[in-house]
Amino acid sequence: MRVRKSYTSLTGKLILTIGMLMIAGSMLFWLFLFKHQEKELIQSSVKYGYSFVDFVRNSTRYAMLTVHGTLIQQTVEAIGGAEGVMNVRIFNSTGKVVYSADKKHVGAILDKSSPLCLTCHTASGPVKDTPSWKIHKGEQNYRVLNIVQPIYNQPDCYTASCHAHPKEKRVLGLVEADLSLELLDYSIRQQGIAITAYVVAFSVVISGTLCIILWNLVSTPLTLLSQGMRKVASGDLDHKIEINRGDEIGELADTFNTMNSELKKAKNELMDWGNTLEKKVQEKTEAIQRAQQQLIHSEKLASLGRMAAGVAHEINSPLTGIVTFGHLLLKKFPKGTEEYEDVEVIIDQANRCSNIIKGLLGFARATTADKAATNINDVLNSSLNIVRNKADFFNIKLEVNMDPALAKVRADAPQLQQVFLNMIVNAADACEGKGSITITTRNVMDNGGEFAEVEFRDTGYGIKDEDLEKIFEPFFTTKPVGKGTGLGLAVTHGIIQEHGGKITIRTKVGEGTSFFIRLPALKETS
């Protein structure tokens, strides 16, 4: 595969950036090395310059002690004729040139403002009487090192009979030498050229090596990855990138190939889903139609409930009349007679019918939620009075265990009655007309809080595991069509949650089901 390479690519930018950094670093290193070498060479030259001046001073020492001026001049001229020595001069303490390699300087007196005098004499401060040096530009294209060394008044001088120098006089004169730095400048230039050539060669070699390394190790694999991604984007999920390396680029290629395989697998799965989508849509459509039928059925039940409430209200008036006239008729028969007992039966049965109708009217009547302190036992008794004499409960044993010390809860009593009626009717349906239903109330503690709990336990078939997670979904029912709406438990769950409680289930297929309803206990204020 042909790999396209460009200096605008990541590798090109890396090469350019690293190359620039290397060149800049090499230049700084070159400058530092050059300056350091120049400084070392100058310090060596100054050191040898001082040695040269000491040599001049020591060479003329005996002649000075013996006052042989001609010998001193000859010595100075001989030394000044050496290669690299431009001039040698000896000054007395007044600044007069006494001896010089160039005879035309002999007898000259320096002005105190001359550069040489200013090295020792300043406008303010003490006189400087230590050796000094400086470098200045010569007449030719090279530099000149100027060395000045004081001639100190030593014991040989102030004790000699031929000298009139007092002992207190520290400096008797100066020795000055101008030394050519032509060889030094040439050496520095040669070293500069050599270092520059080395830096350039080093930069070229390193940059070329870096270019080859980055080009082969980074640019080529990245280009292969980029081309592979474009092929995948165009739909070629069978494309593989062959980069057999153990580094990060190799791992990236392996990850890309794995991603490609997963994409192909996902594409196949999507195609399978597309093939079965029509079937799933049909199933959902049928489920919606069933839900619609259940909604229609629920509306029928609601209308039937309203109608039943109206009929119950109409029946309640005749029952009231039967009870009233029964009591009047009871007064006409003496106690203990058969007629008296028959009338009492009529009054009892009429009262029972009236209580059932009152409970039904109270349950069916639409009221706004009004939460207040409520005794759960009272609501349960009222609910049981409604269903106790229904034909569905004739062969079902109802067992009620109510805790008389059950804590009150803050609730809406009609809504709780709706919940309890639904739980009782569902338990009876699960028993299929036979078996037993046990209702228990108790106080429980949960996570440090006090709750009033109601348990509804039946001996029915139980609930399957696959149905258990959907039991509180609206319109879900396991009852035959026409017997259940699938709304009872959903409404019950909503009412319990709205009251801050919770409903849980414990079931076992073939043994029965227990529903536990917990509501927060109402804290009594003292």
Side-chain angles (χ1 to χ4, degrees), residues 83 96 100 126 129 206 211 219 334 369 383 395 419 451 495:
E83 183 180 2
K96 179 180 178 181
S100 175
D129 57 0
I206 295 299
C211 177
S219 180
S383 302
N395 295 321
V419 169
F451 293 83
I495 292 175

Side-chain angles (χ1 to χ4, degrees), residues 32-174:
F32 168 78
L33 185 61
F34 182 80
K35 292 295 183 182
H36 179 73
Q37 289 290 342
E38 183 181 14
K39 182 179 178 182
E40 290 292 329
L41 289 173
I42 289 176
Q43 287 179 349
S44 298
S45 300
V46 171
K47 180 180 179 181
Y48 289 120
Y50 281 132
S51 298
F52 175 78
V53 172
D54 285 339
F55 173 73
V56 173
R57 187 177 58 182
N58 293 331
S59 297
T60 59
R61 178 179 179 80
Y62 179 77
M64 287 185 178
L65 290 175
T66 58
V67 196
H68 286 84
T70 303
L71 180 59
I72 296 174
Q73 179 62 32
Q74 290 175 351
T75 303
V76 170
E77 289 178 3
I79 295 174
E83 183 180 2
V85 180
M86 299 181 64
N87 193 18
V88 177
R89 295 186 297 179
I90 299 177
F91 297 83
N92 60 15
S93 59
T94 61
K96 179 180 178 181
V97 178
V98 182
Y99 308 101
S100 175
D102 188 355
K103 291 183 177 182
K104 65 181 180 179
H105 293 158
V106 176
I109 299 177
L110 295 180
D111 187 6
K112 290 186 178 181
S113 60
S114 65
L116 179 61
C117 292
L118 291 177
T119 58
C120 299
H121 299 275
T122 57
S124 61
V127 176
K128 182 179 179 182
D129 57 0
T130 57
S132 62
W133 64 273
K134 65 178 180 178
I135 295 176
H136 59 87
K137 194 73 174 178
E139 296 179 356
Q140 304 298 325
N141 191 22
Y142 53 83
R143 293 178 293 176
V144 176
L145 173 63
N146 179 258
I147 299 289
V148 177
Q149 178 79 304
I151 299 174
Y152 297 107
N153 189 9
Q154 296 180 352
D156 292 342
C157 293
Y158 59 75
T159 59
S161 59
C162 59
H163 286 72
H165 303 301
K167 181 179 180 180
E168 292 78 13
K169 192 172 184 178
R170 176 174 170 79
V171 177
L172 303 179
L174 298 174

Side-chain angles (χ1 to χ4, degrees), residues 22-23 198-210:
M22 289 183 58
I23 292 174
Y198 167 76
V199 169
V200 171
F202 174 79
S203 300
V204 170
V205 172
I206 295 299
S207 298
T209 305
L210 180 65

Side-chain angles (χ1 to χ4, degrees), residues 147-383:
I147 299 289
V148 177
Q149 178 79 304
I151 299 174
Y152 297 107
N153 189 9
Q154 296 180 352
D156 292 342
C157 293
Y158 59 75
T159 59
S161 59
C162 59
H163 286 72
H165 303 301
K167 181 179 180 180
E168 292 78 13
K169 192 172 184 178
R170 176 174 170 79
V171 177
L172 303 179
L174 298 174
V175 177
E176 179 196 26
D178 289 329
L179 304 177
S180 174
L181 296 179
E182 182 178 3
L183 293 178
L184 176 66
D185 290 344
Y186 176 77
S187 176
I188 290 174
R189 284 196 299 270
Q190 291 300 110
Q191 286 190 3
I193 294 172
I195 293 174
T196 302
Y198 167 76
V199 169
V200 171
F202 174 79
S203 300
V204 170
V205 172
I206 295 299
S207 298
T209 305
L210 180 65
C211 177
I212 294 173
I213 292 174
L214 290 178
W215 212 258
N216 292 317
L217 295 183
V218 178
S219 180
T220 299
L222 288 180
T223 304
L224 291 174
L225 287 169
S226 177
Q227 292 176 352
M229 290 179 183
R230 283 195 293 269
K231 285 186 174 293
V232 171
S234 64
D236 184 8
L237 298 180
D238 293 323
H239 180 73
K240 299 292 182 182
I241 296 178
E242 300 296 337
I243 300 178
N244 298 319
R245 285 164 47 178
D247 55 9
E248 290 81 356
I249 297 293
E251 292 179 2
L252 183 60
D254 293 339
T255 304
F256 175 85
N257 293 332
T258 303
M259 178 196 70
N260 206 8
S261 300
E262 293 296 327
L263 285 175
K264 184 177 180 180
K265 181 180 177 182
K267 181 181 178 181
N268 294 333
E269 290 178 354
L270 286 175
M271 292 179 65
D272 293 339
W273 273 100
N275 294 331
T276 59
L277 181 60
E278 184 177 355
K279 180 180 178 181
K280 291 185 176 294
V281 169
Q282 184 178 358
E283 292 175 355
K284 291 297 181 181
T285 303
E286 292 175 355
I288 292 174
Q289 290 175 349
R290 288 196 299 270
Q292 187 176 10
Q293 292 175 357
Q294 290 173 341
L295 281 174
I296 295 172
H297 183 63
S298 298
E299 184 62 28
K300 289 181 180 179
L301 289 178
S303 300
L304 181 61
R306 290 193 294 270
M307 184 174 65
V311 172
H313 187 273
E314 294 296 329
I315 294 175
N316 194 44
S317 297
L319 287 175
T320 303
I322 291 173
V323 173
T324 301
F325 284 103
H327 282 289
L328 293 176
L329 185 61
L330 192 63
K331 293 179 181 180
K332 294 183 179 182
F333 300 104
K335 291 184 178 181
T337 63
E338 184 177 354
E339 291 83 0
Y340 188 90
E341 293 177 358
D342 291 340
V343 173
E344 279 188 335
V345 171
I346 292 172
I347 292 173
D348 291 340
Q349 296 300 319
N351 282 330
R352 194 174 74 172
C353 291
S354 179
N355 290 332
I356 293 173
I357 290 172
K358 286 180 182 179
L360 180 61
L361 287 173
F363 175 69
R365 186 177 298 114
T367 59
T368 57
D370 185 13
K371 294 180 182 179
T374 303
N375 190 323
I376 290 181
N377 291 339
D378 294 342
V379 179
L380 271 174
N381 284 325
S382 176
S383 302

